Amino acid sequence: MKIAIGADHGGFDLKEKLKLHYPDLIDLGTFSHESCDYPDIAKAMSAKILSGEADLGILICGTGIGISIAANRYKGIRAAILYDDFVAEMAHQHNNANVIVFGGRTMSVDDVIRRIDIFLKTKYEGGRHDRRLAKLDL
């Protein structure tokens, strides 16, 4: 599975820590603490996912809110903020999220790693959820 990661300045430190734990991540930036605009990172991530260059995206901003709003503006993107372990499971099992989102200023690296691992080991259930997800891209 090809996984891309991107963050604005508020998520830079968490992004760098995650790259140490998951060394095969495709890094889409930002590459410093210098202020940048989270919609630009979300756009780059959405392009990678929609083109098939990445199977899953990880996005990080200060809270996760702004960058998830930006990513979800793209048809075909299903970005979910994984704010707890149950949500990490449900985001994949019921919503088949293709972008998972975290808050660099609101979540610990240990919690984020655990939630990524929960998400990755969970399978999409399909069935009734297919009908619901199809309605998102009308």
Side-chain angles (χ1 to χ4, degrees), residues 44-63:
M45 177 64 71
S46 297
K48 282 281 189 210
I49 298 295
L50 296 173
S51 71
E53 295 176 66
D55 303 304
L56 176 68
I58 300 171
L59 286 174
I60 311 164
C61 69
T63 62

Side-chain angles (χ1 to χ4, degrees), residues 5-33 58-60 104 109 112-113 116:
I5 190 167
D8 73 355
H9 56 281
F12 175 75
D13 289 335
L14 178 56
K15 176 178 72 82
E16 294 302 303
K17 290 173 184 171
L18 291 176
K19 285 171 38 183
L20 296 173
H21 191 78
Y22 305 100
D24 295 329
L25 294 173
I26 303 163
D27 192 348
L28 303 180
T30 193
F31 301 102
S32 74
H33 289 106
I58 300 171
L59 286 174
I60 311 164
V109 68
V112 170
I113 289 169
I116 291 170

Side-chain angles (χ1 to χ4, degrees), residues 23-134:
D24 295 329
L25 294 173
I26 303 163
D27 192 348
L28 303 180
T30 193
F31 301 102
S32 74
H33 289 106
E34 186 175 329
S35 182
C36 67
D37 298 333
Y38 61 80
D40 297 333
I41 303 298
K43 181 179 182 179
M45 177 64 71
S46 297
K48 282 281 189 210
I49 298 295
L50 296 173
S51 71
E53 295 176 66
D55 303 304
L56 176 68
I58 300 171
L59 286 174
I60 311 164
C61 69
T63 62
I65 297 168
I67 207 161
S68 68
I69 291 170
N72 278 316
R73 297 181 67 84
Y74 295 91
K75 186 176 182 177
I77 297 298
R78 294 175 307 281
I81 302 174
L82 305 188
Y83 58 85
D84 72 19
D85 294 356
F86 179 71
V87 169
E89 182 180 0
M90 291 297 103
H92 204 175
Q93 186 175 3
H94 287 190
N95 303 114
N96 202 21
N98 53 11
V99 175
I100 54 177
V101 184
F102 301 99
R105 296 178 180 145
T106 61
M107 299 179 187
S108 73
V109 68
D110 291 336
D111 286 344
V112 170
I113 289 169
R114 187 178 65 255
R115 291 172 190 154
I116 291 170
D117 291 344
I118 289 169
F119 182 90
L120 291 174
K121 77 173 185 176
T122 302
K123 301 296 180 218
Y124 174 55
E125 198 171 84
R128 70 187 188 278
H129 306 293
D130 289 336
R131 180 183 74 247
R132 295 167 183 163
L133 294 182

